[in-house]
Amino acid sequence: MAKILIVDDSKTSRKILRSILEDEHHEIIGEATNGQEAIDKYKELSPDITTMDITMPVMDGLEALKSIIEYDKKAKVIMVTAAGQKTKMVDAIKYGASEFLAKPFEASQIINILNKVLNS
Amino acid sequence: MFGHYMGHYLVKKGKISQSSLDKIVKHQKSNPTKLGSIAVAEKLLTKKQADEINDLQKELDQRFGDIAVAKGYLLTEEVNYLLNKQGNHFINFVQAMSDNNVMTIEEIEQELEEYQNDGGYSQDDMEALKSGDIDRIIPLFIDPYVPYTSDCISLTIRNIIRFINNEIILNPYYKTKEYSFGNLAFQHLKGHQNIFVGLGSKGNELLSVAEPFAKEKFNTLDEDSFDAVCEFINCSNGLYASKLSEEDIHIDMLPPLFDRNKKLVSREDIFVLPILINGGIVDLIVALNCPISIE
């Protein structure tokens, strides 16, 4: 079981992701709706894994990823992308993202990736 | 698929009742029509393989049979066998109408002729409709040669069928420079091409998109249900952006937004495709490389 922080501006996406992860007995310790909130909650909650949407208002997921990795080099951040954001995916790898999850969500894909990151 | 078009037409003309049509739809649903289900029933695929292909279908813009062949799960001959087994949508529809004593085959043939004349469809168009093949049906309702716009509309329709409702009815598109809406969810795509994609409705019809996508019942079109529509648009556009990136065309997706009781105004054409979803009209709106204001 992992302690997970979900970051996404879409309530629908947060709800779907939460439901899939809770079905796998993971604990959702917090949710954030933009990059700045994500940084604050990461520092407050120290999650095992953070799922981070890329396209968000106020501060996007890439900026938040950079800050979180600066704060904690061992942070495990899985970037969540709508397909097609290849350039941003390359940037995310440079900044230290652990893995990627593609929208629309598929339970099997999420579980595989989460296990991979947890075991890395 | 064809049953919905023809059935809706017959109800509109008062030739059959809505309850008769509902009975036909139920009858058709009771027989497996999805290729994956038939493949599992025929023991050509395991349930796991069929689910895997269904998952891949959501990520890739490809047919079930093509993915199954590419994965090495099925041979082309096996796909053809399954397609044959799946049957012709048109024949299934006629059979269901006749079995339920809603119309005789002769009456259906007569109505088909009127449907063809009323819609101004050619024989080829009718064959496309009867096939139930969405790739052949879409060009009947949109101009397939408008750069980017046609592709974007086609892919969004396929995503509506995949993620929202596979019983939609398309109406012919129109072009306008002003579009008034009661409710609108939209997203701007910026980059090598600037594309505006929205789903609009006069009233609460967008709930028919929000509820199946979020798998949640909403009573009204509020912030939460709009969020679900916005997220569907975001996912669909992501798949479109992915397709474009294969052609080395890169676009960035801005966060989706929503608005109420205003109008879109553009100096260039806005393409509007009305789609009947669950009894209500939802407009798919696409505009290419033109500034759009919301007034």
Side-chain angles (χ1 to χ4, degrees), chain B residues 238-249:
Chain B
L239 292 166
Y240 181 55
S242 184
K243 207 172 170 198
L244 286 180
S245 72
E246 286 165 16
E247 298 161 28
D248 219 18
I249 297 164

Side-chain angles (χ1 to χ4, degrees), chain B residues 24-287:
Chain B
I24 302 299
V25 171
K26 202 174 160 193
H27 179 101
Q28 286 190 282
K29 277 184 180 169
S30 64
N31 301 309
T33 52
K34 289 196 170 171
L35 213 61
S37 310
I38 301 170
V40 174
E42 290 287 307
K43 300 194 189 314
L44 287 173
L45 288 180
T46 64
K47 172 87 172 53
K48 200 178 163 198
Q49 286 173 324
D51 288 344
E52 183 192 345
I53 297 168
N54 280 327
D55 287 351
L56 280 169
Q57 242 195 317
K58 289 175 185 167
E59 290 170 32
L60 311 166
D61 191 32
Q62 289 179 20
R63 292 161 194 254
F64 187 95
D66 293 340
I67 298 174
V69 171
K71 294 283 292 180
Y73 293 161
L74 291 176
L75 300 170
T76 307
E77 297 76 33
E78 289 171 325
V79 172
N80 290 338
Y81 166 76
L82 292 170
L83 285 171
N84 195 33
K85 193 98 187 158
Q86 186 182 34
N88 180 300
H89 286 253
F90 169 64
I91 292 168
N92 291 344
F93 172 71
V94 173
Q95 191 68 50
M97 290 277 278
S98 170
D99 286 355
N100 287 279
N101 300 318
V102 176
M103 272 188 177
T104 63
I105 290 177
E106 292 73 27
E107 285 171 331
I108 297 168
E109 276 176 0
Q110 195 184 330
E111 290 303 332
L112 268 173
E113 219 173 288
E114 284 187 35
Y115 178 78
Q116 181 173 1
N117 290 337
D118 286 358
Y121 296 122
S122 68
Q123 205 51 43
D124 283 350
D125 294 345
M126 287 300 283
E127 289 307 317
L129 279 167
K130 286 178 188 176
S131 74
D133 181 344
I134 191 63
D135 292 334
R136 290 176 67 191
I137 292 173
I138 289 173
L140 305 183
F141 297 94
I142 62 169
D143 177 351
Y145 302 110
V146 184
Y148 301 103
T149 305
S150 305
D151 278 352
C152 180
I153 290 175
S154 299
L155 193 129
T156 310
I157 293 168
R158 287 197 289 273
N159 287 329
I160 289 174
I161 290 170
R162 276 180 201 156
F163 300 117
I164 307 295
N165 190 324
N166 63 4
E167 295 171 4
I168 61 170
I169 295 176
L170 305 178
N171 289 289
Y173 81 96
Y174 61 91
K175 291 187 265 186
T176 182
K177 292 189 168 55
E178 282 192 9
Y179 172 80
S180 297
F181 56 87
N183 294 292
L184 178 76
F186 61 97
Q187 186 171 38
H188 287 281
L189 312 178
K190 302 264 181 197
H192 289 159
Q193 300 293 331
N194 294 317
I195 306 169
F196 174 97
V197 182
L199 287 175
S201 65
K202 299 286 174 221
N204 278 351
E205 294 87 347
L206 282 181
L207 283 175
S208 62
V209 175
E211 291 179 345
F213 191 71
K215 296 182 178 66
E216 185 177 344
K217 180 87 186 145
F218 299 108
N219 292 320
T220 179
L221 203 50
D222 57 12
E223 205 169 306
D224 289 351
S225 41
F226 257 125
D227 180 89
V229 182
C230 286
E231 196 53 17
F232 166 71
I233 293 174
N234 188 42
C235 290
S236 179
N237 286 337
L239 292 166
Y240 181 55
S242 184
K243 207 172 170 198
L244 286 180
S245 72
E246 286 165 16
E247 298 161 28
D248 219 18
I249 297 164
H250 297 284
I251 53 174
D252 195 12
M253 299 188 299
L254 304 188
L257 300 167
F258 63 87
D259 214 330
R260 293 176 199 273
N261 299 320
K262 290 183 184 157
K263 64 178 177 183
L264 294 175
V265 180
S266 167
R267 268 186 280 174
E268 304 292 329
D269 283 330
I270 299 169
F271 288 74
V272 181
L273 181 89
I275 305 171
L276 189 73
I277 308 178
N278 212 11
I281 289 288
V282 172
D283 291 322
L284 168 59
I285 302 142
V286 176

Side-chain angles (χ1 to χ4, degrees), chain A residues 4-15 17-18 28-45 47 49-61 64-65 68 80 103, chain B residues 227:
Chain A
I4 299 173
L5 170 64
I6 296 176
V7 186
D8 200 311
D9 60 322
S10 163
K11 188 177 176 182
T12 307
S13 281
R14 294 199 305 274
K15 195 197 85 174
L17 198 48
R18 171 184 276 272
I28 309 305
I29 56 168
E31 291 186 5
T33 60
N34 63 57
Q36 186 55 56
E37 260 185 46
I39 297 165
D40 297 343
K41 292 227 167 145
Y42 186 91
K43 290 176 180 172
E44 179 195 334
L45 302 169
I49 287 182
T50 302
T51 67
M52 178 82 72
D53 187 26
I54 289 185
T55 307
M56 291 186 291
V58 184
M59 181 193 281
D60 71 17
L65 168 69
I68 288 174
V80 176
K103 285 184 182 179
Chain B
D227 180 89

